[in-house]
Amino acid sequence: MRLLPSFAFGALLLPLAAYASEPHSYAQPDQVVITHLDLDLKLDFPHKQLDGQATLKLEWKNPQAPSLVLDTRDLKIAKIEALGADGKTTPLKYALAPRDKQLGEKLTIATPTHPAQVRIVYTTSPDASGLQWLTPAQTADKKLPFMFSQSESIHARSWVPLQDSPAIRFSYTAHVSAPKNVRVVMSALNDAKHPLNGDYSFDQPHPIPSYLLAIGAGDIAVKETGPRSAVYAEPSVVGKAAHEFEDTEQMIATAEKLYGPYRWGRYDILVLPPSFPYGGMENPDMTFATPTVLVGDKSLVSLVAHELAHSWSGNLVTAASWRDIWLNEGVTTYVQGRITEALYGKGLADEEALLSARALQKEIGAMPANSQKLAPDPRGIDADDSLSDVAYDKGSWFLRTLEQRFGRATFDNYLKSYFNHFAFQSITTEQMLNYMKPNLIEKYPGKMSWAEVQDWVYGSGIPKDALLPDSPHFDTIDQERSAFLAGQMAADKLGAKDWNTQEWMYFLDRLPDVTPLAKIQQLDAAWHLTGTPNAEIGMRWYSHAITAGDKAVWPAAAEHMIRIGRLYLTVPLYKALVGTPGGLAYAEQVYAKAKAGYHPLTQQVVEDLIAKAKKAQ
Ligand code: BES
Ligand code: ZN
């Protein structure tokens, strides 16, 4: 289960025609759109705030538009003014609506003269939902503070007042001042040789959606991994990271061969502290990544393949609304598989595809029917549902099915032409399908019917004839797991000595939901899973062991939960704990210790989970 933030579509009750606009933004793109953003910000670590101004270049669509409506959340606004062509400024009247828990505070700026530019002087909140501020003690090297943003999905508004909808694209420039020795990076071209002088300028010349705005700052060293790639990380981490990600240039070259030139200049990776709430984030020119993939054996670098793939699917061709997110994540997960296959072989790519397909098969039936659709009806999504594996794994399964039906050469050409056709645009599912119909489905008749396409995109569940890749290794693991559970094979006779990370994941994923305690203890005695440095294995192992009632693993699980704030690796352990006798109190103790180090998003998710468990008691 991939953990992504939940959305309250439910309360909004949109007409179908509203697909093209975005229900999670107050912006009115039919009236006016931002075409360029210029930021001038000061990083204020003592107060945990960004201080400065955002200047928006505007393109007015409606000559009668009375106002400019922006998204904000918890911003303190000092003043707003119009900028004339002559550089003269005129103050503008504005109103901030009461805070909506999901969407923040709608900002309405009166703009009777339709100025070409508007400037907002503001300060962020220390609790901004899209920023995390770490003290030196909370970093690996303990010398300097650290901060980073995570804007996707709707958190850019907590650090920049703007139209926070993926349908609206703008270029940006920024000037950022910071304490000396703190290096600042953004989702724009970064200069590895920039002096540590506290004065940074950035230029992102391509139009991007707001969720790709990103900033990071701290004690950051740089190590080149190729002619157009480098790793940025704290000094004690950067060497390990550069080694783990040494294949980055080969990945870029592979993707270029398949889908055309990499259009963003450089592809750098910022490795964040372990509190980063996701695995990776495809910020243009500067992917943000969790350190939990630094296992030492490159076994989890498909994360880089994934974030790099977004340079085509997502950053170049962008889902116009969060309801269309499978256009980003499903297509990217497919491309990720192709990069992994080219670099590390079909065996590993198939294992990763199977892992996610099996997980999807297991969970999809329990989801509300509408959430099982690649393109759900936004009117029918419940407030408590979250974007889940459907976008990623049903989406990539659909594309693998297309590849298999049309043949690799045809499908590769088609996908390349799709990326070029919609380059630097935000599109809906329906636009994607309108392109697919004449250019793939009808062009090569008899391969896949339109009804089948519709079933993949708008149907619930997984189409009956969906094919799975074969994996002889996984077949063996299935047999060994069954024999072990049936008492026909001792734990130490499992072939696990040779299992890679994915094979361990597969073995653990398919243990029974509640595995007998004796089996858990036998596995631990044979393979010493408690205390594993591999957090993908640890998350699965501790979940099973806790659910089985093995209290001996609690301290090691707690250590994992306190150290790692990545939602997907930590939340399942809270879930397992609150479901076991005495576990809720322990989960609360762990959270009390972990909270200060968690990102606001992780805090929110864990607090909600604990509150729900308490209510159910
Ligand atoms: N863009 C996503 C992360 C995301 C999605 C953040 C939606 C907020 C809302 C990123 O590309 C992603 O998918 N990351 C995965 C990694 C991966 C290898 C599947 C993650 O963080 O686990
Ligand atoms: Zn992604």
Side-chain angles (χ1 to χ4, degrees), residues 152 280 282 306-307 310 328-329 332-333 392:
E152 194 178 16
E282 65 271 27
H306 179 99
E307 305 313 335
H310 274 305
N328 287 8
E329 300 302 343
T332 289
T333 302
Y392 289 78

Side-chain angles (χ1 to χ4, degrees), residues 301-311 329 332-333 336 339 392:
V301 297
S302 56
L303 179 116
V304 175
H306 179 99
E307 305 313 335
L308 170 67
H310 274 305
S311 307
E329 300 302 343
T332 289
T333 302
Q336 165 199 336
I339 297 171
Y392 289 78

Side-chain angles (χ1 to χ4, degrees), residues 163-199:
Q163 294 179 307
D164 200 7
S165 156
I168 302 166
R169 313 176 74 97
F170 47 85
S171 50
Y172 82 87
T173 43
H175 174 249
V176 182
S177 64
K180 248 185 130 182
N181 300 322
V182 166
R183 185 191 302 275
V184 182
V185 301
M186 287 192 84
S187 52
L189 284 178
N190 290 272
D191 173 9
K193 305 224 157 58
H194 196 291
L196 295 176
N197 60 2
D199 190 78

Side-chain angles (χ1 to χ4, degrees), residues 517-586:
L517 178 57
K519 293 289 167 193
I520 292 289
Q521 288 166 338
Q522 290 161 20
L523 282 173
D524 214 9
W527 302 103
H528 309 291
L529 292 160
T530 301
T532 172
N534 186 320
E536 288 274 3
I537 295 175
M539 178 270 281
R540 288 166 173 80
W541 171 247
Y542 297 128
S543 296
H544 278 299
I546 291 166
T547 303
D550 189 355
K551 286 198 170 182
V553 307
W554 282 15
E559 192 275 330
H560 170 116
M561 294 157 82
I562 292 165
R563 183 168 46 92
I564 300 171
R566 181 179 173 190
L567 291 164
Y568 152 82
L569 291 179
T570 277
V571 174
L573 301 190
Y574 283 97
K575 278 201 182 132
L577 273 177
V578 303
T580 201
L584 174 55
Y586 193 70

Side-chain angles (χ1 to χ4, degrees), residues 167-243:
I168 302 166
R169 313 176 74 97
F170 47 85
S171 50
Y172 82 87
T173 43
H175 174 249
V176 182
S177 64
K180 248 185 130 182
N181 300 322
V182 166
R183 185 191 302 275
V184 182
V185 301
M186 287 192 84
S187 52
L189 284 178
N190 290 272
D191 173 9
K193 305 224 157 58
H194 196 291
L196 295 176
N197 60 2
D199 190 78
Y200 293 80
S201 292
F202 300 95
D203 185 6
Q204 175 51 267
H206 299 296
I208 59 165
S210 58
Y211 76 85
L212 295 177
L213 274 181
I215 187 168
D219 187 2
I220 299 172
V222 190
K223 207 162 172 194
E224 299 286 329
T225 54
R228 50 181 162 170
S229 61
V231 162
Y232 288 62
E234 285 194 68
S236 66
V237 177
V238 76
K240 188 171 191 204
H243 176 258

Side-chain angles (χ1 to χ4, degrees), residues 211 394 604:
Y211 76 85
K394 189 174 171 181
Q604 188 67 57

